[in-house]
Amino acid sequence: MTGLKKQNVRRKLVVYLTGMLAAAAVFLAISCKNKEKAIPLSPPGYDLNKPVKYKMPDDLTEISGFAFHNGKNDSVYAQQDEEGFLFNLKPGDKKANYTKFAKSGDYEDVAIYREQVIMLKSDGTLFTFPFSQVRTKEVTSVQKTKGELPEGEYEAIYADEKSGLVYVLCKHCAEEKTSKSSSGYIMKLQPDGILKQSGSFMIDVKEIERLTNKKRVPFRPSALAKNTFTNEWYVLSSVNKMLVVTDANWRVKNVYPLSVTIFGQPEGMAFDNQRNLYISNEGDQLSAGNILKFSFKK
């Protein structure tokens, strides 16, 4: 082969390889765009970027959990993580009423179950009292359940009216390997108001990592709610601003990132009986606590 032919062959080879590399680059770019488009930013029926915001009164700057009674959204029942008070207010109220149920402590969530209020303390202690007393100055009959849950830190509780079960999700438990799974416990309310453990469940953190394409996700559940219309579980993790949706058997279906500008410190979550989703954020010295409403749209 002459020198000129060799040069032509090299030139054609360079052109061919350059074209192949360019095509590969375009293919990768398109693939990335398609993947970005394929990742849903909100659960079906909701837009997590367009909430209606209800500012909380000063007493609820550190709102850490809330619930509705029978799914009715005309009144909110909430608590903050310092006082043993259950607050009640209408969305948009500038002042909240409250009733005392226990001494000061680190209270993290509240559930209302068949005319009983269940308050969750961070160490797993549970307080139960009649809903009929939520508008009195102080609750007169409180049942305290302690030692039924493993040692750990708890922030999420949900009471399922249909099944008659109460679910408590551990934020961080001593006996679990949180890099692999997150533990939850199923409780039954006894006639005397005491809660007894009757089962457990797990959320696969490795599946969350796979869906987010991240390693060592610090999954720390801060709120739990059930979409009773789809039988899906919604789990909030405040520390890394994510909403995890599982099926009825706790298998992870999807993970939704939360905007840091909208969700300052998401700590509470609930659905009303019209399928609307609500998420609360703790405030600070510069901003008020709030509850965000995400209206359901077909």
Side-chain angles (χ1 to χ4, degrees):
M1 184 180 293
T2 65
L4 182 60
K5 286 184 177 180
K6 287 182 179 179
Q7 288 180 4
N8 288 336
V9 171
R10 291 194 189 100
R11 190 180 298 113
K12 288 179 181 179
L13 183 59
V14 169
V15 171
Y16 173 77
L17 292 174
T18 302
M20 289 294 290
L21 289 171
V26 171
F27 175 78
L28 287 172
I30 292 173
S31 298
C32 289
K33 286 183 179 179
N34 287 338
K35 284 182 179 180
E36 288 175 2
K37 290 180 180 178
I39 298 174
L41 298 178
S42 300
Y46 304 97
D47 187 345
L48 296 179
N49 299 302
K50 294 182 179 179
V52 174
K53 182 188 290 187
Y54 299 104
K55 290 185 178 180
M56 293 293 101
D58 290 343
D59 287 340
L60 285 170
T61 296
E62 296 187 33
I63 180 173
S64 54
F66 68 98
F68 298 115
H69 180 228
N70 293 328
K72 297 177 182 177
N73 60 15
D74 57 343
S75 293
V76 176
Y77 302 90
Q79 101 289 347
Q80 41 101 319
D81 59 7
E82 291 183 355
E83 302 290 342
F85 298 154
L86 176 66
F87 294 83
N88 68 85
L89 70 160
K90 296 183 183 300
D93 280 357
K94 295 182 179 180
K95 186 177 180 180
N97 299 311
Y98 65 86
T99 183
K100 182 177 180 180
F101 68 90
K103 63 181 181 180
S104 298
D106 187 8
Y107 300 98
E108 294 293 346
D109 208 356
V110 55
I112 301 175
Y113 169 81
R114 298 182 180 178
E115 303 306 313
Q116 293 288 317
V117 178
I118 306 172
M119 308 294 293
L120 173 66
K121 200 174 181 181
S122 62
D123 64 358
T125 302
L126 298 153
F127 298 81
T128 309
F129 56 89
F131 178 77
S132 59
Q133 297 187 24
V134 299
R135 286 181 170 80
T136 61
K137 185 176 181 180
E138 185 171 352
V139 175
T140 57
S141 56
V142 181
Q143 290 290 355
K144 184 177 178 180
T145 301
K146 189 172 183 178
E148 278 294 310
L149 296 172
E151 181 181 348
E153 183 180 359
Y154 297 84
E155 288 193 0
I157 187 172
Y158 175 80
D160 191 338
E161 294 274 355
K162 188 175 181 180
S163 69
L165 299 173
V166 177
Y167 297 81
V168 183
L169 191 53
C170 193
K171 182 179 181 181
H172 180 66
C173 279
E175 64 178 25
E176 71 183 6
K177 293 183 178 180
T178 52
S179 61
K180 294 183 179 180
S181 62
S182 184
S183 304
Y185 301 93
I186 304 169
M187 315 286 287
K188 279 188 176 181
L189 186 64
Q190 307 301 306
D192 60 0
I194 298 295
L195 287 148
K196 294 289 185 182
Q197 189 183 147
S198 63
S200 63
F201 59 93
M202 288 280 196
I203 296 176
D204 187 356
V205 176
K206 289 298 182 183
E207 183 63 11
I208 295 173
E209 292 177 345
R210 188 188 70 81
L211 290 171
T212 57
N213 197 28
K214 294 180 180 179
K215 294 182 178 180
R216 298 180 181 178
V217 171
F219 186 60
R220 299 286 186 271
S222 56
L224 173 67
K226 188 176 185 180
N227 185 335
T228 57
F229 295 89
T230 64
N231 282 325
E232 293 173 319
W233 291 101
Y234 281 48
V235 186
L236 198 61
S237 180
S238 181
V239 68
N240 45 9
K241 303 291 190 297
M242 68 167 55
L243 174 64
V244 174
V245 177
T246 81
D247 65 13
N249 296 312
W250 303 100
R251 287 189 290 265
V252 178
K253 295 177 64 176
N254 222 322
V255 182
Y256 303 93
L258 301 177
S259 167
V260 295
T261 58
I262 297 174
F263 300 91
Q265 190 175 339
E267 296 284 349
M269 181 168 54
F271 287 91
D272 66 17
N273 56 15
Q274 298 173 30
R275 300 185 71 168
N276 301 313
L277 170 65
Y278 301 76
I279 296 176
S280 64
N281 289 277
E282 286 192 19
D284 52 34
Q285 294 179 344
L286 300 177
S287 60
N290 64 57
I291 291 179
L292 305 178
K293 176 183 178 181
F294 301 93
S295 299
F296 174 76
K297 294 182 180 179
K298 294 183 180 179

